[in-house]
Amino acid sequence: DTAVSQTPKYLVTQMGNDKSIKCEQNLGHDTMYWYKQDSKKFLKIMFSYNNKELIINETVPNRFSPKSPDKAHLNLHINSLELGDSAVYFCASNRGQVNTEAFFGQGTRLTVV
Amino acid sequence: AQSVTQLDSQVPVFEEAPVELRCNYSSSVSVYLFWYVQYPNQGLQLLLKYLSGSTLVKGINGFEAEFNKSQTSFHLRKPSVHISDTAEYFCAVRTNTGNQFYFGTGTSLTVIP
């Protein structure tokens, strides 16, 4: 059973398009995250939800909008895609307690052409 | 504010040789420390974590790390590396008051046959 699953794994799209990435976790965790990994492998937090409530909203363009329909799902919608959005996007989840680790999905490699 | 520094961006090492990957952190509050491994085209997988207690923690695949509070370090070690250890390694911290994980910039370990 996959603990944190993301779809799609690969996404190639043209500039200006709108796309979504879906994430689901079956661990019963309360907290979910979106991270962006750039070409230099640097991981940057984008958003975090706890029980469907937004708790971290880092400085990202407002073209990026997270949505959490329930605590097991956290989707990422991106409007008007730009070349600089090309990256690997990781979803992660955590029990919410500070002394616990995060579990990561396999990543979605987004390529904007 | 918290920060994580991984001084070595690339570490080449011969097979069966020992390796140490360095991690230093900065925080004004207590932290929990983690090492993750990322194999090519995969998500991040937890190697080990320090939460409290013994400062020497053992993880999967023969890795261990030592928490040194006075030096604010959490270096990762393995006495004898294998080809399959070739991957990207990330150090991460989480404070006892915050919601997010702060990642270092990663160390690319290449094991040479």
Side-chain angles (χ1 to χ4, degrees):
Chain A
D1 280 345
T2 303
V4 183
S5 59
Q6 298 177 227
T7 53
K9 187 169 183 178
Y10 299 97
L11 184 53
V12 181
T13 187
Q14 290 185 325
M15 284 175 54
N17 284 350
D18 303 338
K19 290 293 179 186
S20 291
I21 307 172
K22 295 187 176 182
C23 178
E24 175 182 6
Q25 54 94 4
N26 62 5
L27 298 167
H29 288 168
D30 294 324
T31 304
M32 296 184 74
Y33 308 84
W34 277 111
Y35 280 86
K36 178 180 180 181
Q37 186 175 49
D38 63 23
S39 58
K40 295 184 178 179
K41 304 284 187 179
F42 180 64
L43 280 157
K44 180 179 168 56
I45 182 77
M46 299 175 70
F47 303 103
S48 178
Y49 273 74
N50 183 267
N51 277 322
K52 303 194 300 177
E53 181 182 344
L54 182 65
I55 55 172
I56 296 175
N57 186 357
E58 289 294 304
T59 308
V60 300
N62 56 16
R63 298 181 294 103
F64 290 78
S65 54
K67 282 189 172 52
S68 181
D70 54 61
K71 75 173 191 176
H73 295 84
L74 180 60
N75 304 322
L76 184 65
H77 189 75
I78 316 170
N79 290 328
S80 304
L81 277 154
E82 300 177 357
L83 292 176
D85 297 332
S86 295
V88 181
Y89 293 84
F90 285 101
C91 177
S93 74
N94 172 258
R95 276 215 308 261
Q97 296 162 274
V98 292
N99 62 346
T100 55
E101 68 267 31
F103 291 78
F104 282 79
Q106 292 296 293
T108 296
R109 183 175 294 276
L110 171 65
T111 304
V112 182
V113 298
Chain B
Q2 289 71 42
S3 67
V4 182
T5 302
Q6 292 181 246
L7 291 168
D8 308 305
S9 60
Q10 295 184 337
V11 174
V13 62
F14 286 103
E15 192 175 14
E16 297 184 5
V19 70
E20 178 180 84
L21 306 183
R22 296 180 293 169
C23 173
N24 288 86
Y25 68 91
S26 172
S27 177
S28 57
V29 297
S30 296
V31 297
Y32 303 102
L33 297 153
F34 308 85
W35 274 100
Y36 284 86
V37 60
Q38 184 181 24
Y39 298 106
N41 299 313
Q42 293 190 28
L44 278 74
Q45 177 184 356
L46 183 71
L47 269 179
L48 48 78
K49 59 187 176 184
Y50 172 77
L51 303 179
S52 64
S54 172
T55 57
L56 182 64
V57 292
K58 294 188 185 298
I60 62 171
N61 302 340
F63 283 94
E64 63 180 33
E66 185 151 23
F67 170 56
N68 187 320
K69 188 174 182 180
S70 62
Q71 296 187 3
T72 60
S73 67
F74 190 53
H75 300 332
L76 180 71
R77 303 186 187 101
K78 186 169 182 176
S80 175
V81 295
H82 190 267
I83 296 289
S84 60
D85 292 324
T86 294
E88 194 82 19
Y89 291 78
F90 292 93
C91 181
V93 304
R94 186 177 186 182
T95 69
N96 61 0
T97 56
N99 291 305
Q100 68 165 293
F101 294 81
Y102 297 86
F103 284 88
T105 49
T107 298
S108 178
L109 175 64
T110 301
V111 180
I112 305 164

